[in-house]
Amino acid sequence: MSIVCAYLLLQVSFSFAQVNESFDYQSIRDLVAWKGSDTAWSIQQGRLKSHLQQASTAFYISTPSLLAQDVIWEWWLQLDFNTSSLNYTDVFLTADSANLLAPALKGYFVRIGNTKDDICLYRKDGASTPVLLIDGRDGITDHTSSTLKIKVIRKEDSWELWTDEKANGTAYTREGIARDNRYNTSKFMGITIRQSTASFFRKHYFDNISVHPFTADTTPPSLLGVQLMNDRTLSCCFSEIPDSAIISNFHHISLSDTANAPVRIWQDSHTPACINIVFRNPFPNGDSCSIYIKGVNDTNGNAAPVLTATFLYYLSSGYDVLIHEFLPKALPSAGLLPARFIELLNNSPFALQLKGWRIGNSSREITLPSWLLLPGDYVVLCDKQAVESFPAGLPLLGLSSFPAPGDSDYITLRNDSGLLVHAIAYDRQWYNNPVKAKGGWSLEMISPQWPCAGSSNWRPSNATAGGTPGMPNTAAGPGQPPPSATLVHAYVQDSMTIHLFFSAMMDSLAVSTATHYIFDPAIPISSITAKPPLYHQVSVQLTTPLAPDQLHSIRIAGVNDCSGQPVTVAEGLTIARMTGADSAEVIFNEILYDPAPGTPEFIELYNRGTRAIDLSRLFFARIKAGGEPEDAVPLTSTPRLLAPGAYMAFTTAPEALCRQYDCPTSSTVQQFNLPALINAEGGVVLLNASGNIVDELYYSDKMHQALAGNTRGVSLERLHPDSPTRDRHNWHSAAVTVKYGTPGRTNSQQLPVSRLDGALTVHPGIFSPDNDGQSDVAVLSYRFPLPGCVMNVMVFDAEGRLIRTLEKNIALPQSGHLIWDGRGDQQRELTTGIYIIFAEAVSPTGDVRQWKLPVVLGKKLNG
């Protein structure tokens, strides 16, 4: 009987010697090996959870544990609160009593939290103040939720404290080491909780608690891998901590490039199993290299054979890593995770270490920590506090002071040498979708082949969750090559400074080289500066002032854009010293007030003068019913040149306008917050900086001639720049051959500019009112010795029947034009044939003169 009892006692003692607890129970009642404060604990989804709902209290749970020397303690925990001096947890490694709150308790414990939000090892000597043995890093638990794995190793009287912030046992960081042998026996181990208010109730979780003997090491170190830190520094990590001999003997380390030797070796302070090696010369760029390490022993004296590894150094260049997806505005109701992010893609064939790289927006730029990005892999950058908002398993890099992309912003990525690797400048229009532009949907790159294509290579995500961080893009596809970069805008700031604006990202070196710019007449250049990060804005400093009113053309030679295409210059782009406009110097030349669905309205201006006009000093307004202008708005926010004889259209959406009509270049169509134009009839006015009227237009459907009543999508074009704006006969519907509009270019309907012959003439002799832009109207040109003549104009057919009264008792200026659109009264269509225009004029002195002018109305034959 005594033998059986002895066996049972031995079995119980052995079971108490080790702890291996995973809390796989249905209820706390099944946790028979653990005892503690009543009703203070529960089991939830296979984890131990605090349950006590009592403020300003402490409670515990403990289990028998006899191991105290040559031991490894390890456990998982989660604290869903920011720790403080009143809210923390202690894990006792050894204790001489099951009551872990007993004042006379002796043993060792790890405190998680407290004033510095750190993890520390203490010794408890009864009622005395605990003795701090290892002071861990501050701020580890300064989060709304902290998930950790903690390990303590005791070998004889040597202690090590380790913390894994990934909580999976793969990323342990040593908090410190200590020596202490006050207590070498144990009876219990366990957990105590201290909580202050209801905000901390039921927010403590524990799992996978392990206490087992530390076994002697007989295995030599192995080389787990090497990591490039920069162009001449390697980090070599071993399977265990090597002894100090390896860092004191440079001859133990060599490269396949025998001319390159180490100049410095040191042990990594956070990962002692790793050593960092600096070599005299840079590694060969893009070529493989091998390292050989001999004489490596672990701290137990186990010697390793010669260890070797192959690595490849690659100096990253432009577009090796791409900004591949980003969320500029979070909106949880749309289904996307409520946190802004930037996704990077390794677009190179090499693994790239991101340590020392910099990510930035328009307000700040921060340095990235260590992260090895393999070819074709993604990493998602976000705020450190937002990491837990993303699904588990994503390649996430939480950053303090994360430069979150703004609603309209730019994003820059630089490598550790400061080289700009990728940059984008975006705004809401990139969405081309008003619903998704409100927020909650990411923007995804279509094709990495065109990284500098701008908005044409980006689309809003089609993922049901609103985005695909860390995964392939829903917008992925072959994409389209972008148009070549164009010099789209230039203006003279003062007589010594010219500003140039390109349509896309440029190479900073190329655009800063003076020989690439050719001005005619020539301009002597002092210096050129390109504005980062996109380098698409350039300032040119001159050595001598520009002459007043002198126009200079611009040509770019020998410059390619970021996609390798030659840079072009917008047609007709010129520079000159600019001035403000006087009356009738800049005129309304075309207007679309009744657009087709999906097409924006526009106005077009024409510089009929001889001076270069600054459009930022011109203001547009609608005219109220009473004849007064509404509040005027500037046409541009920055100086913009309108050269003599040049056109400029203004609209709310240039891209949409130019999809409907053929725009010559983007430089002649300006985005402008154009107030909604009134349909049917209305008025608009152009003012200068002094508030004086430069030009004024009153329009109506009747000015569309034959198209009255069907004006949708048809612009009104000015027929002659020198005829009065308010003369309704000086306007006509744009031709069908130009899709009924010519924004930013010569009008389809114009009168000849030759000198008028005779007192009254009609031309052309044959006209065809089919609105094809060729001889669509019969024009009566008149000239009298004095202004003030009164005229009646009627049209008769070949049989002498009156078919149209053009004007009745109209007072005329000294010269001008009248128009017949080829229709009879009530706008009815007429057949082809000969018609007679009868005109009668009465001068202010009572003189009378009459004319009968034949004209042929023709139509094109089918086929």
Side-chain angles (χ1 to χ4, degrees), residues 21-58:
E21 184 60 78
S22 58
F23 300 106
D24 292 328
Y25 307 103
Q26 295 297 319
S27 168
I28 192 66
R29 292 188 298 271
D30 300 328
L31 195 63
V32 295
W34 294 75
K35 304 296 181 183
S37 307
D38 292 342
T39 69
W41 304 90
S42 65
I43 296 293
Q44 180 175 309
Q45 297 180 345
R47 290 173 178 167
L48 179 67
K49 179 182 179 182
S50 62
H51 189 69
L52 185 64
Q53 300 182 60
Q54 182 177 337
S56 302
T57 189

Side-chain angles (χ1 to χ4, degrees), residues 198-537:
S199 300
F200 303 92
F201 292 172
R202 306 179 66 183
K203 294 187 177 181
H204 313 76
Y205 301 84
F206 301 88
D207 202 359
N208 297 326
I209 298 176
S210 171
V211 183
H212 57 84
F214 177 80
T215 56
D217 178 17
T218 59
T219 304
S222 61
L223 183 60
L224 298 181
V226 298
Q227 183 174 326
L228 285 156
M229 308 303 291
N230 54 46
D231 64 344
R232 62 183 70 199
T233 305
L234 283 179
S235 175
C236 301
C237 293
F238 302 94
S239 58
E240 53 185 312
I241 299 174
D243 66 7
S244 59
I246 188 63
I247 62 176
S248 60
N249 194 335
F250 290 2
H251 299 292
H252 286 181
I253 298 172
S254 60
L255 294 178
S256 52
D257 177 10
T258 56
N260 200 1
V263 294
R264 183 187 174 206
I265 306 173
W266 74 98
Q267 192 170 34
D268 192 288
S269 59
H270 295 298
T271 312
C274 299
I275 61 171
N276 300 316
I277 310 167
V278 180
F279 289 85
R280 178 182 299 112
N281 303 318
F283 304 125
N285 189 35
D287 291 335
S288 296
C289 192
S290 296
I291 185 171
Y292 306 97
I293 307 175
K294 63 182 180 179
V296 179
N297 299 328
D298 62 16
T299 55
N300 293 315
N302 299 305
V306 175
L307 303 175
T308 185
T310 300
F311 65 93
L312 183 145
Y313 170 72
Y314 175 69
L315 179 62
S316 59
S317 58
Y319 309 124
D320 276 349
V321 177
L322 300 179
I323 300 160
H324 191 245
E325 182 182 2
F326 62 98
L327 177 64
K329 190 174 183 180
L331 188 68
S333 61
L336 189 65
L337 296 169
R340 290 181 286 175
F341 68 86
I342 300 171
E343 177 191 84
L344 304 180
L345 166 68
N346 186 344
N347 194 43
S348 80
F350 305 108
L352 296 173
Q353 173 54 249
L354 299 185
K355 184 178 182 180
W357 288 45
R358 300 185 67 81
I359 189 78
N361 60 13
S362 57
S363 60
R364 65 177 177 274
E365 190 178 59
I366 66 167
T367 302
L368 297 181
S370 178
W371 185 282
L372 186 64
L373 190 60
L374 300 179
D377 276 6
Y378 310 99
V379 62
V380 179
L381 312 181
C382 65
D383 190 88
K384 191 172 184 179
Q385 303 296 329
V387 169
E388 296 176 4
S389 299
F390 291 86
L394 292 183
L396 286 170
L397 189 53
L399 305 172
S400 299
S401 301
F402 172 60
D407 201 15
S408 293
D409 205 346
Y410 63 74
I411 306 173
T412 58
L413 178 67
R414 301 179 188 276
N415 67 9
D416 53 355
S417 300
L419 175 72
L420 186 68
V421 177
H422 193 203
I424 58 172
Y426 63 91
D427 56 39
R428 281 193 181 188
Q429 292 191 15
W430 280 31
Y431 279 93
N432 197 27
N433 183 313
V435 174
K436 293 185 176 182
K438 291 180 180 179
W441 300 88
S442 70
L443 282 166
E444 297 180 338
M445 178 181 280
I446 297 173
S447 172
Q449 185 179 359
W450 312 110
C452 61
S455 61
S456 64
N457 197 36
W458 290 81
R459 289 179 189 162
S461 177
N462 287 322
T464 55
T468 56
M471 297 176 286
N473 290 345
T474 60
Q480 296 292 329
S484 63
T486 302
L487 179 60
V488 293
H489 174 40
Y491 75 86
V492 176
Q493 176 181 316
D494 52 52
S495 62
M496 301 293 290
T497 308
I498 302 170
H499 293 292
L500 307 176
F501 298 83
F502 294 87
S503 63
M505 180 176 170
M506 302 298 295
D507 177 82
S508 60
L509 181 61
V511 296
S512 300
T513 304
T515 55
H516 291 158
Y517 299 89
I518 302 168
F519 294 91
D520 187 17
I523 300 174
I525 296 174
S526 170
S527 63
I528 297 179
T529 305
K531 182 181 179 181
L534 302 183
Y535 304 104
H536 65 315
Q537 299 180 22

